[in-house]
Amino acid sequence: MSAAASRTPSWARPLPERGAAATRALLAAFAAATVVDLGSLLAGWHLGHVLAKPLLMPLLVAYVITRRAPRLLVAALLFGWGGDLALLFDAEPAFLIGMGSFAAGHVCYLVLFGRRAANPLLGGAYGLALLGTIGLMWADLPADLRIPVAGYSLLLTAMAFRSSAVGLRAGIGGALFLLSDTLIATGVAEWPQLPRPDFWIMATYLAAQYLLATGTLTSAQAYRMTVPQGQHSQD
């Protein structure tokens, strides 16, 4: 290794060919599992969904790890995996556990996004959307879920808004996450649903996690390339 290469931090070096191949293979596996899961939901094949859903976030986690993801991003996706597993069970305790796991993931995202400035007008729009949605659904939600859903919605909306500070890709991911969980909440409130609601919930959720993950990675790598090595406090 040359002296110049030895001084180059690991995150700035190109992936070796073997590592790049593993990255492509994991992304392809995530895409394949996504197709199986969404296809199963469209076809009404519950077993296919049960088999494919638990594979989705671990594959995405493995993919971002090969791209040297920050630990908080890995944690956020793993908490999402915990929520995915909990929501496979159709019971209120499982719903609350899943909501708590997703909430922990949102906290990881919020810490990861840092204090970069976001558009205050967008923040106002998100705030109005939060108040309007909770206000409209409040009476239709089960009484014991109203406070947990409202608290979770506040955290989710904050994450969606703050994701816009990272970049357009991550911002779209945050908005899709909000949309996906809003679709879940309307189901809990027993509002009229789109045909195959589980398909739309999973489609928006998977797009959200992928865009949040890749948008955060792109932003983090761009930041690292502009900051001297000695100023990096953590990865």
Side-chain angles (χ1 to χ4, degrees):
M1 179 183 293
S2 67
S6 67
R7 292 195 298 272
T8 304
S10 62
W11 46 260
R13 299 173 196 157
L15 288 173
E17 183 58 32
R18 182 178 300 176
T23 297
R24 292 192 294 269
L26 287 165
L27 183 58
F30 172 72
T34 296
V35 170
V36 171
D37 187 59
L38 297 181
S40 298
L41 291 171
L42 279 176
W45 184 35
H46 182 66
L47 178 60
H49 173 60
V50 170
L51 293 175
K53 187 178 183 182
L55 301 177
L56 292 163
M57 287 305 105
L59 287 170
L60 187 56
V61 165
Y63 166 70
V64 300
I65 286 174
T66 66
R67 291 189 55 188
R68 305 183 179 111
R71 289 186 292 271
L72 281 170
L73 175 57
V74 173
L77 294 173
L78 287 175
F79 279 121
W81 182 45
D84 291 346
L85 296 179
L87 294 187
L88 284 172
F89 300 92
D90 187 17
E92 186 173 308
F95 177 79
L96 290 171
I97 291 170
M99 188 163 58
S101 190
F102 284 123
H106 297 327
V107 172
C108 292
Y109 275 129
L110 283 168
V111 176
L112 181 60
F113 296 156
R115 297 181 179 180
R116 282 173 281 193
N119 189 326
L121 292 178
L122 182 61
Y126 270 123
L128 288 174
L130 171 64
L131 292 174
T133 303
I134 293 298
L136 289 171
M137 286 196 302
W138 186 263
D140 296 325
L141 289 170
D144 57 337
L145 291 181
R146 289 172 182 167
I147 297 300
V149 167
Y152 174 80
S153 298
L154 177 61
L155 182 60
L156 170 60
T157 303
M159 185 281 293
F161 168 56
R162 292 297 306 148
S163 69
S164 66
V166 179
L168 180 60
R169 177 185 288 257
I172 294 172
L176 286 174
F177 212 134
L178 180 60
L179 174 59
S180 179
D181 280 9
T182 300
L183 293 174
I184 293 176
T186 59
V188 173
E190 298 184 353
W191 283 14
Q193 299 289 293
L194 294 168
R196 299 292 184 189
D198 288 348
F199 169 82
W200 298 109
I201 290 168
M202 282 303 297
T204 50
Y205 166 71
L206 291 173
Q209 290 282 43
Y210 173 77
L211 291 172
L212 281 167
T214 55
T216 301
L217 280 173
T218 300
S219 176
Q221 289 163 356
Y223 169 77
R224 287 166 174 172
M225 292 300 292
T226 61
V227 177
Q229 182 180 0
Q231 294 183 22
H232 295 297
S233 60
Q234 67 177 9
D235 193 2

